[in-house]
Every structure is written in C-alpha cells, then in structure tokens.
Amino acid sequence: MGRNIRYWYTYRTVVAVVIALVLSGLIYLLYTQQVTCDAHVGGCLVNLSVHPEDRLFQNQDDPSSGVVIVGIDDKSVTELGRFPVKRDYYAAALQQLQKDGASAVGLDVQFSDPSVPASDAALAQTLHDSKVPVVLSYPASSLAYPPGKVIQCAPGASACPNSGSDNIPLHNFRCLDQAADWSSTAPCQQPNPNVILGSTDLVLDADGVVRSIPLFVQPACYATGSCATPNLDSFAFATWRAAQPDFQTFPELQESGNTATLGQAWKVSVDAKGAALLNFSGPPGNFEHYHHYISFSDLVRGRESPDMIKGNIVLIGAYNLSGVNDSQLVTTSAGTNGTLQMAGIEIHANAVNMFNLAPASLRTSEPAWLLALIILVLGLATAVGVARVSVLWGLAGTLVALAGFTLAMSALASFGNFVADVFHPWLVIALTYSGVTAYRFLYEDREKRKVTAIFSQYLKPEIVNELAGKRRGVEDILRGGERREITLLFVDIRGFTSMSESMAPADVTELVTTYLDHLSGLIFKWDGTIDKYVGDEIMAFWNAPRQQDNHALLALRCSYDLVNHAAELQKLLLSKGLPPIRWGIGVNTGPAVVGMMGSRSRLQYTALGDTVNTAARFCAHAPAFQVLIGEETYQMCRDYIAVDLVPGVQLKGKSAEKFRIYELTAIRETPTSPWVAFPTQTATQTHQAYTSQYTQQTVIAAGESGSRDILVGEEAEQAMAREGISQN
C-alpha cells in the first residue's frame, strides 16, 4: 500500500477523493449559512441566496374556487372617497358577505387605533352580530426569531433586541364585553367566538424574498398580559381554519421536530423559524387573472356576484394601492422573474389556497441530513469517476450526472411535492469535476514534461506522448533498473575513422549529423528506442520502455529499411558535397537490465548486459550493408526471415558449438508472403555509383579493395585504376 500510493493512478484517485470531501464540506457549509441567514436565528458569514423553491420556469395555475380576494384598490379609494377607508364601509362589506354566504372572512386591515367613533361602533356591532367567522389582522411592529417560532416584540420583551409596540385590534372589536376605553389592551372577559386574531407577519429571506409563511407566532399581547395565548396562528391558516365546520373545536396546529401537524389530517415541514414553504398558484395578479377578485367598492355598493362569494373564503385588504407599500418580492416559483412584487393580501390568499388544497399542495423541504448525504455521494462518485477516465469522458459523465440528478429531483418534486435542493448538488458535481480535472492537468503536465525531458532524445514524439499518458506517469517507467528481454541494434559506418581524418572538421560534422538524422528517423519509424550515439555508431533497442511483443521482428524490419534507404542518404550526402558512406548492422535478442543509470550528476536511460555487448560485436564484424543476427533473434523471427550461417566467426567467450551467427538474406511480410531479398547488393551498387559521381566532382574515395583511407588527387586516380573504376 505504501509503495502503490506513490503511483500516479492511485495517487490521483486519493487526491480526487480528498477534493470531493473538502468541496462537499464547504458546499454543505454554504447551505447551512444560507439557512441561518434566512431563518434570522443567528449570524451568517456568507449567503448565496439560492433556494430550492426557486424555479427556472414560470408556474401559473387556476387557484381553487374556494378563495376570493376583495381588494382595496385605487378604484375603491376613488369611489369611496379616502384612505384609510371608513370603518362603517367594512361593516357594510361584512354584512354583504354574510348575506352572500361567505364561509369565512379575513380582514387584513390594522384596527389597533380608534378612528371616527360612529364608524368604530358600526364595525364593532357588525362583528358582534356576525354569523360568519371573521379573522382580524394582528401585525407586529418588530419581530424576533427564537428557534421554532416568531415573536412579536412588545415593550420590554426580553427576547427582542429592539422594543416594539402591541398592535392588537381594539378591545371592542374582539370582545363582547365593551370597554369604555376603545384602545384598552385588557384581556377579554367575554371573547367574541366569531372573531379570531391572526398574524399577518411575513418573514423575508435574507435576499428580501417571501418564500414561506410563519405558522407559529407568539403575539405581543402574551408578553404584555393582554392575552393568555402563547401562540397565534398565521392570518391565512386562521382564516382557513375558521372556514371549517365546527371551527371552534377544530384541531390546533402543533409543532414537533421541524414538522407542523394538524391532527391526523396532514403535516408539513417547517424551518428553524417555524415557517412552511408557500406553494404559489401563480405570479402576482393570478387571482385577478382567473376571476377570483372583487374590488372593495363593488362589494360595498352591492355590485358583486353572490355566486363568487357563496361558500368561499374571502380575504379583504389593500391590493396594489398607490401610496400603500405592503407588496413583497416572491419566489420565482410564483412565476415571477425576481422583480415583480405581490400584494400582501394575495400572498395570504395563496397560503389559504395551499391549506384549502392540503395535503396535496403542501410542500416538503429536503431534510438537511439527506442533502448532506446527496452532496457527499455525488461528490465522491464524480471524483472517482473523473479520476478513472479521460477528461472528455469525465465531462460527458458529469453532464449525464447533472441531467440525471435534475430529472430525478424533478420527478420527486412533481409526484411528491418534494422541494429538492438541486443547486448545491450541481455545485459539488461541477466543482469536483473542475477540481479533479485541474489537478489532472497540472499533474499530468508535470509528468509529460518529465517523460519528454527523459525520452524525447530516444523515442519518436508519438511514443513519448503515449508514455506521458501512462496512468502512473513517469514513476511507472522509471522504477529503477529492470531486467527484461530486449532486442538491440547497432549500426556503424565502415572506415569512418580514416575518412574523417582526411576531411575538414565542418564536413565531418555535417556528414555525421546527416547520417544520424536519416537513420534515426528510420529507427523511430519502427518504434525503436535510441539509446545513444557514440561517434558514428547508433545503439537502439526494442521492448523498452514500453512492451513490444514482436520486438525482434521490428528490429529486423528496421534493419531492412536502414539498408534499403541507403540510396536516399547517398544522394543527400552527394548534394552537400560529402562522400558516400557504408554501414554494417548487428542485431541481438536477450535479457538486459534497462533503466536510468549513471552518476548523481548525469543519468541516462540505457541498457546493460552481455546481450548488449554481443550485439555491438555483431555490428563490428558485419560487412557493409549486411546484417548479422544471433540465435535468439533468429528463433523469434524464423517464420519471417531467411538467413545464412556465417562460418569462421568466433566471438571471444562464446562456445562455437552453442553460439551461431547468421546473415540476414531475405524477409517477408507474413509467414505465407513471397520472400523479398535483402537489399545488400542493391545498396552496394548504389554506393559504388555515387562514389564514382563524388570522385568526378571533388574528392575521390577509396575503391572497394578494402582500403579505409580517403585519397585525393593523383593517389586517388591510381587507386581507382587498380579498382577498374572509370572516370568518364
């Protein structure tokens, strides 16, 4: 384990997992910070203001027929003469609604201060005589947010950072016992059973958007002693509950473990401030669009249709009234683009509509533990997957994962009204992919630079790139000396030493460079590894650093090309004014130690062993344009080559009985293909022809007599005469 963890492939997976764990923790922290900011229950460091209930597409449905808005709009104020509307108009509206058969009425109008006595008396009498349950608005001037509920701040309330005022409706509106002081906040001695108080408080998220409605509000009167109830229902729930048969004995809403329960009827999840997610039927104006709206003046003047009222819940309040700022931004799930505001009375109407259609309309938030698990699983799955495939496949898999997760969460939301958080899982998938990919590029780039620096001088670029892409990087290649079977090739110029002594240094350099470039290109063509250049000698091998099952045959095919392309090099040398050259080749197969070797100051990738020395000695004995090979090479390629046994050659330290040397005479493509003669004779004839041309131009080379000297002028002419070479 300790050894393997150093390797690139395992190391990449480990780092990918670490990246996923870190990102999962950070993204979950972002989520908890957002929840903290929205709940107003403590300080938060950062808030992205991205909510699962926000949707990309508009939603607009017909609200249930059981809810009607009576809006105090600009038309009503124009007709009725002023705002605030006189309270005897509310009395007239209640009487008309009772006549038309409303099931319950919610008055989203603040009645905490006395007005014209006659108007107050008219409304109080109507409330006392009403047979229809009426919910009066009880707003707060300031709010506090302990866990699980919202508190209306009252003067001197210890739970509130800022002191507030008690906006409880007038005593004579809510009590049957009439007080001489209408502004008295004394508890009711005889509560009016048909008058209920409901909190119209709305709690905005940290980005100023209404996405939920508090269900549990502690009224300011509880702290001041004006009432004995520790809990006040929201205005919408109180109105919906008032419309139920026998509402006075109807079950109370209870909270337990972040869940609000209404007896056995239904339950809904609530957040840290005891608020439930709102399920909006549509954008601002949706109730009016679907004709669930009546202008207040039309109701007071008797111009409404009784059919719109009978059996329905009616909410009365300001509706987009000029000069009255009770509208709020609502979530995009209401079909808005984030810039439209919804009147407060319509927000409550949406909440009533949600309760009216419960439990199917109630939306369940994703538990924090489930979101944490989803983030962790998606992050780890993305990390491991991306680490084990190519970057493009990783991108494709990431996109598929994003699409699949989104579709799955959409199905849950559609079939179970489950509000899934897709943003934070999206974020962990995207960031994990980006992080692992960035690490891969950085690490692989470093590995590629290492491999390129080491092998660019030995291998053709395609093989270097292949090695650089190995899954464990350079560590997998350079794990120290490794014994393996390889095939070595040595090629050396015949008579180069004496030739170079007669040439200018610049010409020697040019000749060697041209020769090495030409032959090296052919070695690279057959995927050989060039070990080193020693003067005019080239040492190359196959089956290292990468595995090559047919390494011996590759070396022999390369040898064929080295001889077959001799004419090209001769012509190139002649065009540069340089003498033609000849070379011999030795090939041997066997075990050798391959790896980075050398001193601390200079390392080289090379091969060592008797197989290497034997191949070099084959090359030294090989005549020009001939290839000498050993027994092992022959046995590996016997179906593809034809050879002649080389007699009379004995290598020092080798047994004559067990050690044989062969000259390559023919080769073929497949075991059944026609034989192709080795081009030794063709190369020799070409060399002679180019030598003659070179002699006629500038310098006359020694003939084929075996002389190793380069002769000039008269000496060269005499040598040519002995060899029978024509100067014409």
Side-chain angles (χ1 to χ4, degrees):
M1 177 68 179
R3 177 185 176 189
N4 289 335
I5 201 169
R6 295 185 298 106
Y7 294 151
W8 155 236
Y9 187 67
T10 306
Y11 189 51
R12 178 173 67 187
T13 303
V14 171
V15 171
V17 169
V18 172
I19 290 174
L21 291 174
V22 172
L23 288 175
S24 297
L26 290 176
I27 291 171
Y28 184 70
L29 177 63
L30 289 178
Y31 163 77
T32 58
Q33 288 294 300
Q34 176 183 301
V35 172
T36 302
C37 291
D38 290 341
H40 304 279
V41 294
C44 57
L45 301 176
V46 62
N47 180 27
L48 291 180
S49 295
V50 178
H51 298 75
E53 56 271 24
D54 292 340
R55 300 175 185 168
L56 299 178
F57 305 103
Q58 289 191 353
N59 173 52
Q60 186 167 10
D61 299 320
D62 188 352
S64 70
S65 59
V67 184
V68 176
I69 294 176
V70 174
I72 304 172
D73 50 21
D74 290 335
K75 171 188 172 182
S76 299
V77 173
T78 300
E79 287 194 22
L80 300 179
R82 68 171 201 149
F83 187 83
V85 176
K86 292 192 299 182
R87 290 177 180 174
D88 50 359
Y89 285 133
Y90 293 119
L94 289 175
Q95 292 168 6
Q96 187 64 43
L97 291 173
Q98 179 173 297
K99 177 182 175 182
D100 290 342
S103 62
V105 178
L107 269 172
D108 185 12
V109 181
Q110 186 169 339
F111 296 123
S112 57
D113 297 314
S115 66
V116 178
S119 293
D120 287 347
L123 178 55
Q125 188 61 46
T126 300
L127 291 170
H128 294 172
D129 297 339
S130 175
K131 300 299 187 289
V132 177
V134 178
V135 177
L136 297 182
S137 169
Y138 187 176
S141 61
S142 180
L143 296 171
Y145 308 96
K149 62 181 177 180
V150 174
I151 292 181
Q152 293 184 345
C153 294
S158 59
C160 296
N162 301 311
S163 179
S165 59
D166 187 357
N167 295 323
I168 190 170
L170 296 175
H171 183 277
N172 290 1
F173 287 172
R174 56 189 168 86
C175 305
L176 293 179
D177 54 300
Q178 300 295 290
D181 182 4
W182 282 68
S183 60
S184 172
T185 58
C188 292
Q189 299 301 318
Q190 293 181 308
N192 187 337
N194 272 353
V195 175
I196 304 112
L197 303 184
S199 168
T200 51
D201 299 313
L202 296 174
V203 180
L204 280 59
D205 286 339
D207 58 352
V209 176
V210 174
R211 297 184 178 89
S212 59
I213 186 165
L215 299 182
F216 304 96
V217 180
Q218 179 179 300
C221 61
Y222 183 72
T224 60
S226 300
C227 61
T229 177
N231 183 65
L232 189 67
D233 288 332
S234 70
F235 179 77
F237 181 78
T239 308
W240 174 82
R241 185 174 179 274
Q244 307 307 307
D246 301 323
F247 75 89
Q248 292 177 344
T249 60
F250 201 75
E252 296 285 346
L253 197 61
Q254 304 293 328
E255 181 186 13
S256 177
N258 290 331
T259 301
T261 306
L262 185 67
Q264 300 298 319
W266 48 260
K267 61 182 179 180
V268 61
S269 61
V270 294
D271 61 15
K273 57 182 180 292
L277 290 175
L278 273 167
N279 193 352
F280 290 92
S281 63
N286 196 49
F287 278 78
E288 186 175 6
H289 175 77
Y290 283 104
H291 309 293
H292 299 290
Y293 178 83
I294 301 172
S295 179
F296 183 73
S297 61
D298 288 340
L299 176 65
V300 172
R301 302 300 189 195
R303 296 193 295 260
E304 86 292 350
S305 172
D307 292 337
M308 289 187 63
I309 303 299
K310 187 175 182 179
N312 292 334
I313 300 172
V314 179
L315 301 181
I316 302 175
Y319 184 82
N320 298 331
L321 183 59
S322 299
V324 177
N325 186 24
D326 73 331
S327 299
Q328 301 292 345
L329 289 173
V330 292
T331 174
T332 55
S333 62
T336 71
N337 58 6
T339 61
L340 298 179
Q341 292 189 329
M342 181 178 288
I345 192 64
E346 189 170 10
I347 295 176
H348 294 300
N350 274 283
V352 174
N353 184 66
M354 179 179 72
F355 295 129
N356 218 25
L357 299 176
S361 62
L362 299 177
R363 309 180 71 189
T364 303
S365 297
E366 188 172 25
W369 66 267
L370 179 59
L371 178 61
L373 181 62
I374 289 174
I375 289 174
L376 180 61
V377 170
L378 290 177
L380 290 175
T382 303
V384 174
V386 172
R388 291 176 176 269
V389 298
S390 67
V391 173
L392 289 180
W393 277 112
L395 176 60
T398 300
L399 295 177
V400 170
L402 287 171
F405 172 77
T406 303
L407 290 175
M409 292 298 102
S410 298
L412 283 175
S414 298
F415 295 115
N417 241 359
F418 181 76
V419 181
D421 187 328
V422 295
F423 172 74
H424 293 95
W426 279 353
L427 195 60
V428 76
I429 291 175
L431 290 182
T432 300
Y433 169 79
S434 301
V436 174
T437 301
Y439 172 76
R440 288 184 60 177
F441 274 120
L442 291 174
Y443 191 98
E444 289 176 357
D445 183 64
R446 185 180 70 176
E447 293 298 299
K448 286 179 179 179
R449 289 197 304 270
K450 286 183 181 179
V451 173
T452 301
I454 295 171
F455 293 105
S456 60
Q457 58 183 320
Y458 307 128
L459 302 168
K460 65 180 182 179
E462 293 83 357
I463 298 180
V464 174
N465 292 335
E466 179 184 337
L467 292 175
K470 289 179 72 70
R471 67 181 191 178
R472 290 180 179 173
V474 74
E475 292 292 337
D476 196 41
I477 304 170
L478 306 179
R479 290 180 293 177
E482 179 183 17
R483 183 176 296 277
R484 65 163 67 182
E485 184 180 72
I486 63 173
T487 297
L488 291 111
L489 179 148
F490 282 81
V491 57
D492 188 17
I493 298 176
R494 295 292 167 258
F496 177 74
T497 301
S498 57
M499 179 190 299
S500 62
E501 291 175 353
S502 304
M503 297 172 62
D507 289 342
V508 173
T509 302
E510 181 66 21
L511 185 146
V512 171
T513 301
T514 304
Y515 154 78
L516 293 178
D517 283 346
H518 186 79
L519 268 63
S520 296
L522 295 174
I523 293 172
F524 285 162
K525 170 186 173 182
W526 292 99
D527 296 344
T529 300
I530 294 180
D531 183 303
K532 62 174 69 72
Y533 302 122
V534 182
D536 63 304
E537 183 181 65
I538 303 174
M539 172 183 171
F541 52 79
W542 280 258
N543 206 34
R546 64 170 184 164
Q547 295 285 343
Q548 294 167 301
D549 295 336
N550 59 339
H551 53 89
L553 186 58
L554 287 173
L556 294 184
R557 295 196 188 283
C558 178
S559 300
Y560 177 89
D561 263 6
L562 291 176
V563 176
N564 194 44
H565 287 77
E568 297 175 9
L569 179 57
Q570 312 290 13
K571 182 178 181 180
L572 180 62
L573 291 174
L574 185 63
S575 68
K576 295 182 178 183
L578 299 173
I581 56 176
R582 302 171 299 164
W583 54 86
I585 301 171
V587 177
N588 190 37
T589 302
V593 176
V594 183
M596 295 297 293
M597 302 178 194
S599 66
R600 293 181 180 272
S601 60
R602 187 175 186 275
L603 290 173
Q604 182 180 5
Y605 189 75
T606 188
L608 297 177
D610 182 65
T611 302
V612 181
N613 299 332
T614 301
R617 293 158 77 180
F618 286 172
C619 177
H621 287 82
F625 303 125
Q626 292 187 16
V627 179
L628 300 185
I629 67 174
E631 179 72 26
E632 185 68 22
T633 306
Y634 169 68
Q635 293 298 333
M636 292 183 66
C637 305
R638 61 188 306 165
D639 293 335
Y640 298 88
I641 61 174
V643 298
D644 285 340
L645 184 65
V646 179
V649 178
Q650 177 63 35
L651 298 184
K652 183 178 180 181
K654 302 295 181 182
S655 169
E657 295 180 357
K658 298 182 179 180
F659 191 83
R660 293 182 176 87
I661 303 176
Y662 301 95
E663 176 190 348
L664 191 60
T665 60
I667 195 167
R668 58 185 175 182
E669 185 69 23
T670 68
T672 60
S673 300
W675 289 103
V676 177
F678 205 78
T680 300
Q681 184 177 356
T682 302
T684 302
Q685 293 173 351
T686 303
H687 176 266
Q688 292 175 351
Y690 279 111
T691 299
S692 177
Q693 294 181 40
Y694 177 73
T695 301
Q696 295 176 14
Q697 293 177 3
T698 52
V699 180
I700 303 173
E704 297 296 316
S705 60
S707 171
R708 295 297 188 265
D709 295 328
I710 304 265
L711 306 178
V712 182
E714 184 178 350
E715 293 181 355
E717 293 177 357
Q718 294 174 357
M720 288 183 62
R722 288 195 300 270
E723 295 295 326
I725 301 175
S726 173
Q727 301 183 38
N728 299 322

